[in-house]
Amino acid sequence: MTRVQTAYFDDDALDLSGAEAAPARVIEVGEITAGIAVPERGGVRFFSSERRFDGLDGTLFRTVEQAARAAREKGRPPRLRAV
């Protein structure tokens, strides 16, 4: 199960230039916090908080849902192949 939660930051610490900014979203895969999706022009940028999601770190996704889907796929255990 992938869960996306809203994370609120201190607006004074960010340069919002008077614009109403969308909140950052925390992305959890199962019981693991995969990272955070931070809105920016053109979509959301993913920042990993767990080593297994580092391959997605810095990636710009069009939507939070796409970032969550990528994290869910990255968090799956590797498939075993019969030889």
Side-chain angles (χ1 to χ4, degrees):
M1 177 177 91
T2 305
R3 193 166 74 181
V4 177
Q5 296 179 322
T6 303
Y8 295 96
F9 296 101
D10 179 9
D11 291 344
D12 294 334
L14 303 172
D15 179 17
L16 299 177
S17 302
E20 183 68 29
R25 300 294 189 97
V26 175
I27 298 175
E28 296 178 341
V29 177
E31 298 293 320
I32 299 167
T33 301
I36 189 166
V38 179
E40 66 174 55
R41 179 170 284 145
V44 295
R45 188 154 316 265
F46 181 85
F47 296 96
S48 69
S49 62
E50 170 79 25
R51 186 175 301 253
R52 76 175 85 171
F53 302 100
D54 282 353
L56 300 173
D57 193 56
T59 303
L60 181 65
F61 293 95
R62 193 175 283 171
T63 66
V64 172
E65 290 75 21
Q66 286 180 343
R69 187 178 319 117
R72 186 171 51 248
E73 290 172 7
K74 193 76 160 169
R76 285 188 183 141
R79 290 184 176 178
L80 298 177
R81 292 182 150 172
V83 190

Coordinates of all heavy atoms in Angstrom, one line a residue:
M1 N 0.8 -1.2 0.0 CA 0.0 0.0 0.0 C 0.9 1.2 0.0 O 1.8 1.3 0.7 CB -0.9 0.0 1.2 CG -1.7 1.2 1.4 SD -2.8 1.2 2.8 CE -1.8 1.9 4.0
T2 N 0.6 2.2 -0.9 CA 1.3 3.4 -0.9 C 0.4 4.5 -0.3 O -0.8 4.6 -0.6 CB 1.6 3.8 -2.4 OG1 2.4 2.8 -2.9 CG2 2.4 5.1 -2.4
R3 N 1.0 5.3 0.6 CA 0.2 6.4 1.2 C 0.9 7.7 1.0 O 2.1 7.8 1.0 CB 0.1 6.1 2.7 CG -0.9 6.9 3.4 CD -1.2 6.4 4.8 NE 0.0 6.7 5.6 CZ 0.1 6.3 6.9 NH1 -0.9 5.6 7.4 NH2 1.1 6.7 7.6
V4 N 0.1 8.7 0.6 CA 0.7 10.0 0.4 C 0.0 11.0 1.4 O -1.2 11.0 1.6 CB 0.3 10.5 -1.0 CG1 0.8 12.0 -1.2 CG2 0.9 9.6 -2.1
Q5 N 0.9 11.7 2.2 CA 0.4 12.6 3.2 C 0.9 14.0 2.9 O 2.0 14.2 2.4 CB 1.0 12.1 4.6 CG 0.5 10.8 5.0 CD 1.0 10.4 6.4 OE1 2.2 10.7 6.7 NE2 0.2 9.8 7.2
T6 N 0.2 15.0 3.3 CA 0.6 16.3 3.2 C 1.5 16.7 4.3 O 1.3 16.4 5.4 CB -0.7 17.3 3.3 OG1 -1.6 16.8 2.2 CG2 -0.3 18.7 3.0
A7 N 2.6 17.4 3.9 CA 3.6 17.9 4.9 C 3.6 19.4 4.8 O 3.7 20.0 3.7 CB 5.0 17.4 4.6
Y8 N 3.5 20.1 5.9 CA 3.5 21.6 5.9 C 4.8 22.1 6.4 O 5.3 21.5 7.4 CB 2.3 22.1 6.8 CG 1.0 21.7 6.2 CD1 0.3 20.6 6.6 CD2 0.4 22.5 5.1 CE1 -0.9 20.3 6.0 CE2 -0.8 22.2 4.6 CZ -1.5 21.1 5.0 OH -2.7 20.7 4.5
F9 N 5.3 23.1 5.8 CA 6.6 23.7 6.2 C 6.4 25.1 6.6 O 5.4 25.7 6.3 CB 7.6 23.6 5.0 CG 8.0 22.2 4.6 CD1 7.4 21.7 3.5 CD2 8.9 21.5 5.4 CE1 7.7 20.4 3.1 CE2 9.2 20.2 5.0 CZ 8.6 19.6 3.9
D10 N 7.3 25.6 7.3 CA 7.3 27.0 7.7 C 7.4 27.9 6.5 O 8.5 28.0 5.9 CB 8.4 27.3 8.7 CG 8.5 28.7 9.2 OD1 7.5 29.5 8.9 OD2 9.4 29.1 9.9
D11 N 6.4 28.6 6.1 CA 6.4 29.4 4.9 C 7.4 30.5 4.9 O 7.9 31.0 3.9 CB 5.0 30.0 4.6 CG 4.0 29.0 4.2 OD1 4.4 27.9 3.9 OD2 2.8 29.3 4.3
D12 N 7.8 31.0 6.1 CA 8.8 32.0 6.3 C 10.2 31.5 5.9 O 11.0 32.3 5.5 CB 8.8 32.6 7.7 CG 7.5 33.3 8.1 OD1 6.8 33.8 7.2 OD2 7.2 33.3 9.3
A13 N 10.4 30.2 6.0 CA 11.7 29.7 5.6 C 11.8 29.5 4.1 O 12.9 29.3 3.6 CB 11.9 28.3 6.3
L14 N 10.7 29.5 3.4 CA 10.8 29.4 1.9 C 10.5 30.7 1.2 O 9.8 31.5 1.7 CB 9.7 28.4 1.5 CG 9.7 27.0 2.1 CD1 8.5 26.2 1.7 CD2 10.9 26.3 1.7
D15 N 11.1 30.9 0.1 CA 10.9 32.1 -0.7 C 9.7 31.7 -1.7 O 9.9 31.2 -2.7 CB 12.1 32.4 -1.5 CG 11.8 33.7 -2.4 OD1 10.8 34.4 -2.2 OD2 12.6 33.9 -3.4
L16 N 8.5 32.1 -1.3 CA 7.3 31.8 -2.0 C 6.9 32.9 -3.0 O 6.0 32.8 -3.8 CB 6.1 31.5 -1.1 CG 6.3 30.3 -0.2 CD1 5.1 30.1 0.7 CD2 6.6 29.0 -1.0
S17 N 7.6 34.0 -2.9 CA 7.4 35.2 -3.7 C 6.0 35.6 -3.8 O 5.5 36.0 -4.8 CB 8.0 35.0 -5.1 OG 9.3 34.7 -5.1
G18 N 5.3 35.5 -2.7 CA 3.9 35.9 -2.6 C 2.9 35.0 -3.2 O 1.7 35.2 -3.2
A19 N 3.4 33.9 -3.8 CA 2.5 32.9 -4.5 C 1.9 31.9 -3.5 O 2.6 31.6 -2.5 CB 3.2 32.2 -5.6
E20 N 0.8 31.4 -3.8 CA 0.2 30.4 -3.0 C 0.8 29.0 -3.4 O 0.6 28.6 -4.6 CB -1.3 30.3 -3.2 CG -2.0 29.3 -2.3 CD -2.0 29.6 -0.8 OE1 -1.9 30.8 -0.5 OE2 -2.0 28.7 0.0
A21 N 1.6 28.4 -2.6 CA 2.3 27.2 -3.0 C 1.6 26.0 -2.5 O 1.0 26.0 -1.5 CB 3.7 27.2 -2.4
A22 N 1.6 24.9 -3.3 CA 1.0 23.7 -3.0 C 1.9 23.0 -1.9 O 3.1 23.2 -1.9 CB 0.9 22.8 -4.2
P23 N 1.3 22.3 -1.0 CA 2.1 21.6 0.1 C 2.9 20.5 -0.5 O 2.6 19.8 -1.5 CB 1.1 21.1 1.1 CG -0.1 20.9 0.3 CD -0.1 22.0 -0.8
A24 N 4.1 20.2 0.2 CA 4.9 19.0 -0.1 C 4.1 17.8 0.4 O 3.2 17.9 1.3 CB 6.2 19.1 0.6
R25 N 4.4 16.7 -0.2 CA 3.7 15.4 0.2 C 4.7 14.4 0.6 O 5.7 14.2 -0.1 CB 2.9 14.9 -1.0 CG 1.8 15.8 -1.5 CD 0.7 16.0 -0.4 NE -0.4 16.7 -0.9 CZ -1.5 16.1 -1.3 NH1 -1.6 14.8 -1.3 NH2 -2.5 16.8 -1.7
V26 N 4.4 13.7 1.7 CA 5.3 12.6 2.1 C 4.7 11.3 1.5 O 3.5 11.1 1.5 CB 5.2 12.4 3.7 CG1 6.0 11.2 4.1 CG2 5.8 13.7 4.3
I27 N 5.6 10.5 0.9 CA 5.2 9.3 0.2 C 5.7 8.1 1.0 O 6.9 8.0 1.3 CB 5.7 9.2 -1.2 CG1 5.2 10.4 -2.0 CG2 5.4 7.9 -1.9 CD1 5.7 10.5 -3.4
E28 N 4.7 7.3 1.4 CA 5.1 6.1 2.2 C 4.7 4.8 1.4 O 3.7 4.8 0.7 CB 4.3 6.0 3.5 CG 4.7 7.2 4.4 CD 3.9 7.2 5.7 OE1 2.8 6.6 5.7 OE2 4.3 7.8 6.7
V29 N 5.6 3.9 1.4 CA 5.3 2.6 0.8 C 5.3 1.5 1.9 O 6.3 1.3 2.5 CB 6.4 2.2 -0.3 CG1 6.2 0.9 -0.9 CG2 6.5 3.3 -1.3
G30 N 4.1 1.0 2.1 CA 3.9 0.1 3.3 C 4.2 0.9 4.6 O 3.6 2.0 4.8
E31 N 5.1 0.4 5.4 CA 5.5 1.1 6.6 C 6.7 2.0 6.5 O 7.2 2.5 7.4 CB 5.7 0.0 7.7 CG 4.5 -0.8 8.0 CD 3.4 0.0 8.7 OE1 3.7 0.8 9.5 OE2 2.3 -0.2 8.3
I32 N 7.2 2.1 5.2 CA 8.5 2.8 5.0 C 8.2 4.2 4.4 O 7.5 4.3 3.4 CB 9.4 2.0 4.1 CG1 9.7 0.7 4.7 CG2 10.7 2.8 3.7 CD1 10.4 -0.3 3.8
T33 N 8.8 5.2 4.9 CA 8.7 6.6 4.3 C 9.8 6.6 3.2 O 11.0 6.6 3.4 CB 9.0 7.7 5.3 OG1 8.1 7.6 6.4 CG2 8.9 9.0 4.7
A34 N 9.2 6.6 2.0 CA 10.1 6.6 0.8 C 10.8 7.9 0.5 O 11.9 8.0 0.1 CB 9.3 6.2 -0.5
G35 N 10.0 9.0 0.7 CA 10.6 10.3 0.5 C 9.5 11.3 0.5 O 8.4 11.1 1.0
I36 N 9.8 12.5 -0.1 CA 8.9 13.6 -0.1 C 8.8 14.1 -1.6 O 9.8 14.2 -2.3 CB 9.4 14.7 0.9 CG1 8.3 15.8 1.0 CG2 10.7 15.3 0.5 CD1 8.5 16.7 2.2
A37 N 7.6 14.5 -2.0 CA 7.4 15.1 -3.3 C 7.1 16.6 -3.1 O 6.2 17.0 -2.5 CB 6.2 14.4 -4.0
V38 N 8.1 17.4 -3.6 CA 8.0 18.9 -3.4 C 7.5 19.5 -4.7 O 8.2 19.3 -5.7 CB 9.4 19.4 -3.0 CG1 9.3 20.9 -2.8 CG2 9.8 18.7 -1.7
P39 N 6.4 20.3 -4.6 CA 6.0 20.9 -5.9 C 7.0 22.0 -6.4 O 7.6 22.7 -5.7 CB 4.7 21.7 -5.4 CG 4.3 21.1 -4.1 CD 5.6 20.6 -3.5
E40 N 7.1 22.0 -7.7 CA 7.8 23.0 -8.4 C 7.3 23.2 -9.8 O 6.4 22.4 -10.2 CB 9.3 22.7 -8.4 CG 9.7 21.5 -9.3 CD 11.2 21.3 -9.3 OE1 11.9 21.3 -8.3 OE2 11.7 21.3 -10.5
R41 N 7.7 24.1 -10.5 CA 7.2 24.4 -11.8 C 7.3 23.1 -12.7 O 8.4 22.5 -12.8 CB 7.9 25.5 -12.5 CG 7.4 25.8 -13.9 CD 8.0 27.1 -14.5 NE 7.3 28.2 -13.8 CZ 7.8 29.3 -13.5 NH1 9.1 29.5 -13.7 NH2 7.1 30.3 -12.9
G42 N 6.3 22.7 -13.3 CA 6.3 21.5 -14.1 C 6.0 20.2 -13.4 O 6.0 19.1 -14.1
G43 N 5.7 20.2 -12.1 CA 5.4 18.9 -11.4 C 5.9 18.9 -10.0 O 5.8 19.9 -9.3
V44 N 6.3 17.7 -9.6 CA 6.9 17.6 -8.2 C 8.2 16.9 -8.3 O 8.4 16.0 -9.1 CB 5.9 16.8 -7.3 CG1 4.6 17.5 -7.1 CG2 5.6 15.4 -7.9
R45 N 9.1 17.3 -7.5 CA 10.5 16.7 -7.4 C 10.5 15.8 -6.2 O 10.1 16.2 -5.1 CB 11.5 17.8 -7.3 CG 12.9 17.2 -7.4 CD 14.0 18.1 -7.9 NE 13.7 18.9 -9.0 CZ 13.9 18.6 -10.3 NH1 14.4 17.5 -10.6 NH2 13.7 19.5 -11.3
F46 N 11.0 14.6 -6.4 CA 11.1 13.6 -5.4 C 12.4 13.6 -4.7 O 13.4 13.7 -5.3 CB 10.8 12.2 -6.0 CG 10.9 11.1 -5.0 CD1 9.7 10.7 -4.3 CD2 12.0 10.4 -4.7 CE1 9.8 9.7 -3.3 CE2 12.1 9.3 -3.8 CZ 10.9 9.0 -3.1
F47 N 12.4 13.6 -3.3 CA 13.6 13.5 -2.5 C 13.5 12.3 -1.6 O 12.6 12.2 -0.8 CB 13.8 14.8 -1.7 CG 14.0 16.0 -2.5 CD1 13.0 16.9 -2.9 CD2 15.3 16.3 -3.0 CE1 13.1 18.0 -3.7 CE2 15.5 17.5 -3.8 CZ 14.4 18.3 -4.1
S48 N 14.4 11.4 -1.8 CA 14.3 10.1 -1.1 C 14.7 10.3 0.4 O 15.5 11.1 0.7 CB 15.2 9.0 -1.7 OG 16.6 9.3 -1.6
S49 N 14.1 9.4 1.2 CA 14.5 9.4 2.6 C 14.9 8.1 3.1 O 15.2 7.8 4.3 CB 13.3 9.9 3.5 OG 12.2 9.0 3.4
E50 N 15.0 7.2 2.2 CA 15.4 5.8 2.4 C 16.3 5.3 1.3 O 16.1 5.6 0.1 CB 14.2 4.9 2.5 CG 14.4 3.4 2.5 CD 14.8 2.9 3.9 OE1 14.5 3.6 4.9 OE2 15.4 1.8 3.9
R51 N 17.4 4.6 1.6 CA 18.4 4.3 0.6 C 17.9 3.6 -0.6 O 18.3 3.8 -1.7 CB 19.5 3.4 1.3 CG 20.7 3.1 0.4 CD 21.7 2.3 1.2 NE 22.2 3.1 2.3 CZ 23.3 3.7 2.4 NH1 24.2 3.6 1.4 NH2 23.7 4.4 3.4
R52 N 16.9 2.7 -0.4 CA 16.4 1.9 -1.6 C 15.7 2.8 -2.6 O 15.4 2.3 -3.7 CB 15.5 0.8 -1.1 CG 14.1 1.2 -0.7 CD 13.3 0.0 -0.4 NE 13.5 -0.4 1.0 CZ 12.9 -1.3 1.7 NH1 11.9 -1.9 1.1 NH2 13.1 -1.6 2.9
F53 N 15.3 4.0 -2.2 CA 14.6 4.9 -3.1 C 15.6 6.0 -3.7 O 15.1 6.9 -4.4 CB 13.4 5.6 -2.4 CG 12.5 4.6 -1.9 CD1 12.4 4.2 -0.6 CD2 11.5 3.9 -2.8 CE1 11.6 3.3 -0.1 CE2 10.7 3.0 -2.3 CZ 10.7 2.6 -1.0
D54 N 16.9 5.9 -3.4 CA 17.8 6.9 -3.9 C 17.9 7.0 -5.4 O 18.2 8.0 -5.9 CB 19.2 6.6 -3.3 CG 19.4 7.0 -1.9 OD1 18.5 7.6 -1.3 OD2 20.4 6.6 -1.3
G55 N 17.5 5.9 -6.1 CA 17.5 6.0 -7.6 C 16.5 7.0 -8.1 O 16.6 7.4 -9.3
L56 N 15.5 7.3 -7.3 CA 14.5 8.3 -7.7 C 14.8 9.7 -7.2 O 14.1 10.6 -7.6 CB 13.1 7.9 -7.1 CG 12.6 6.5 -7.6 CD1 11.3 6.2 -6.8 CD2 12.3 6.5 -9.1
D57 N 15.8 9.8 -6.4 CA 16.1 11.1 -5.8 C 16.4 12.2 -6.8 O 17.2 12.0 -7.7 CB 17.3 11.0 -4.9 CG 17.5 12.2 -3.9 OD1 16.6 12.5 -3.2 OD2 18.6 12.8 -4.0
G58 N 15.7 13.3 -6.7 CA 15.9 14.4 -7.6 C 15.1 14.3 -8.9 O 15.1 15.3 -9.7
T59 N 14.3 13.2 -9.1 CA 13.5 13.1 -10.3 C 12.3 14.0 -10.3 O 11.6 14.1 -9.3 CB 13.1 11.6 -10.5 OG1 14.2 10.8 -10.5 CG2 12.3 11.4 -11.7
L60 N 12.0 14.6 -11.4 CA 10.8 15.5 -11.5 C 9.7 14.6 -12.1 O 9.9 14.1 -13.2 CB 11.1 16.7 -12.4 CG 10.0 17.7 -12.6 CD1 9.6 18.3 -11.3 CD2 10.4 18.7 -13.7
F61 N 8.6 14.5 -11.4 CA 7.4 13.8 -11.9 C 6.3 14.8 -12.2 O 6.3 15.9 -11.6 CB 6.9 12.8 -10.8 CG 7.9 11.7 -10.6 CD1 8.8 11.8 -9.5 CD2 7.8 10.6 -11.3 CE1 9.7 10.7 -9.3 CE2 8.7 9.5 -11.1 CZ 9.6 9.6 -10.1
R62 N 5.5 14.4 -13.1 CA 4.4 15.3 -13.5 C 3.4 15.5 -12.4 O 2.8 16.6 -12.2 CB 3.7 14.8 -14.8 CG 2.8 15.8 -15.4 CD 2.2 15.2 -16.7 NE 3.2 15.3 -17.7 CZ 3.1 14.8 -18.9 NH1 2.0 14.1 -19.2 NH2 4.0 14.9 -19.8
T63 N 3.1 14.4 -11.6 CA 2.1 14.4 -10.5 C 2.7 13.7 -9.3 O 3.6 12.9 -9.4 CB 0.8 13.7 -11.0 OG1 1.0 12.3 -11.2 CG2 0.2 14.4 -12.2
V64 N 2.0 13.9 -8.2 CA 2.4 13.2 -7.0 C 2.1 11.7 -7.1 O 2.8 10.8 -6.7 CB 1.6 13.8 -5.8 CG1 1.8 12.9 -4.5 CG2 2.0 15.2 -5.5
E65 N 1.0 11.4 -7.8 CA 0.6 10.0 -8.1 C 1.6 9.3 -8.9 O 1.9 8.1 -8.6 CB -0.8 9.9 -8.8 CG -1.9 10.4 -7.9 CD -2.0 11.9 -7.8 OE1 -1.5 12.7 -8.6 OE2 -2.7 12.3 -6.8
Q66 N 2.3 9.9 -9.8 CA 3.3 9.3 -10.6 C 4.5 9.0 -9.7 O 5.2 8.0 -9.8 CB 3.7 10.1 -11.8 CG 2.7 10.1 -12.9 CD 3.2 11.0 -14.1 OE1 4.0 11.8 -14.0 NE2 2.5 10.7 -15.2
A67 N 4.9 10.0 -8.9 CA 6.0 9.8 -7.9 C 5.7 8.6 -7.0 O 6.6 7.8 -6.7 CB 6.2 11.1 -7.1
A68 N 4.5 8.5 -6.5 CA 4.1 7.5 -5.6 C 4.2 6.1 -6.3 O 4.6 5.1 -5.7 CB 2.7 7.7 -5.0
R69 N 3.7 6.1 -7.5 CA 3.8 4.8 -8.3 C 5.2 4.4 -8.5 O 5.5 3.2 -8.3 CB 3.1 5.0 -9.6 CG 2.9 3.7 -10.4 CD 2.2 3.9 -11.7 NE 1.0 4.7 -11.7 CZ 0.9 5.9 -12.3 NH1 1.9 6.3 -13.1 NH2 -0.2 6.6 -12.2
A70 N 6.1 5.3 -8.9 CA 7.5 5.0 -9.1 C 8.1 4.5 -7.8 O 8.9 3.5 -7.8 CB 8.2 6.2 -9.6
A71 N 7.8 5.1 -6.6 CA 8.3 4.6 -5.3 C 7.8 3.3 -5.0 O 8.6 2.4 -4.5 CB 7.9 5.6 -4.3
R72 N 6.5 3.0 -5.3 CA 6.0 1.7 -5.0 C 6.7 0.6 -5.8 O 7.1 -0.4 -5.3 CB 4.5 1.7 -5.3 CG 3.8 0.4 -4.9 CD 2.2 0.5 -5.0 NE 1.8 1.0 -6.4 CZ 1.2 2.2 -6.6 NH1 1.0 3.1 -5.5 NH2 0.8 2.6 -7.8
E73 N 6.9 0.9 -7.1 CA 7.7 -0.1 -8.0 C 9.1 -0.3 -7.5 O 9.6 -1.4 -7.5 CB 7.6 0.4 -9.4 CG 6.2 0.3 -10.0 CD 6.1 1.0 -11.4 OE1 7.2 1.4 -12.0 OE2 5.0 1.1 -11.9
K74 N 9.7 0.8 -7.1 CA 11.1 0.7 -6.6 C 11.2 -0.1 -5.3 O 12.2 -0.7 -5.0 CB 11.7 2.1 -6.4 CG 13.1 2.2 -6.3 CD 13.8 2.1 -7.6 CE 15.2 2.6 -7.5 NZ 16.0 2.2 -8.7
G75 N 10.2 0.0 -4.5 CA 10.2 -0.6 -3.2 C 9.8 -2.1 -3.2 O 9.9 -2.8 -2.2
R76 N 9.4 -2.6 -4.4 CA 9.0 -4.0 -4.5 C 10.3 -4.9 -4.3 O 11.3 -4.5 -4.9 CB 8.4 -4.3 -5.8 CG 7.0 -3.9 -5.9 CD 6.4 -4.4 -7.2 NE 5.1 -3.8 -7.4 CZ 4.5 -3.4 -8.5 NH1 5.2 -3.5 -9.6 NH2 3.3 -3.0 -8.5
P77 N 10.1 -6.0 -3.7 CA 11.3 -6.9 -3.6 C 11.6 -7.5 -5.0 O 10.7 -7.6 -5.8 CB 10.8 -8.0 -2.7 CG 9.4 -7.9 -2.5 CD 9.0 -6.5 -3.0
P78 N 12.9 -7.7 -5.2 CA 13.2 -8.3 -6.6 C 12.6 -9.7 -6.8 O 12.5 -10.4 -5.9 CB 14.8 -8.4 -6.5 CG 15.1 -8.3 -5.1 CD 14.0 -7.6 -4.4
R79 N 12.2 -9.9 -8.0 CA 11.6 -11.2 -8.4 C 12.7 -12.2 -8.5 O 13.8 -12.0 -9.1 CB 10.9 -11.1 -9.7 CG 9.7 -10.3 -9.6 CD 8.9 -10.3 -10.9 NE 7.7 -9.6 -10.8 CZ 6.9 -9.4 -11.8 NH1 7.2 -9.9 -13.0 NH2 5.7 -8.8 -11.7
L80 N 12.5 -13.4 -8.0 CA 13.4 -14.5 -8.2 C 13.1 -15.2 -9.5 O 11.9 -15.4 -9.8 CB 13.3 -15.5 -7.0 CG 13.6 -14.9 -5.6 CD1 13.3 -15.9 -4.5 CD2 15.0 -14.4 -5.6
R81 N 14.1 -15.6 -10.2 CA 13.9 -16.3 -11.4 C 14.4 -17.7 -11.3 O 15.4 -18.0 -10.7 CB 14.8 -15.6 -12.5 CG 14.3 -14.3 -12.9 CD 15.1 -13.8 -14.0 NE 14.3 -12.9 -14.9 CZ 14.8 -12.2 -15.8 NH1 16.1 -12.3 -16.1 NH2 14.1 -11.4 -16.6
A82 N 13.6 -18.6 -11.9 CA 14.1 -20.0 -11.9 C 15.1 -20.2 -13.0 O 15.1 -19.6 -14.0 CB 12.9 -20.9 -12.2
V83 N 16.1 -21.0 -12.7 CA 17.2 -21.1 -13.6 C 17.1 -22.5 -14.3 O 16.7 -23.4 -13.9 CB 18.6 -21.1 -12.9 CG1 19.7 -21.0 -13.9 CG2 18.7 -19.9 -11.9

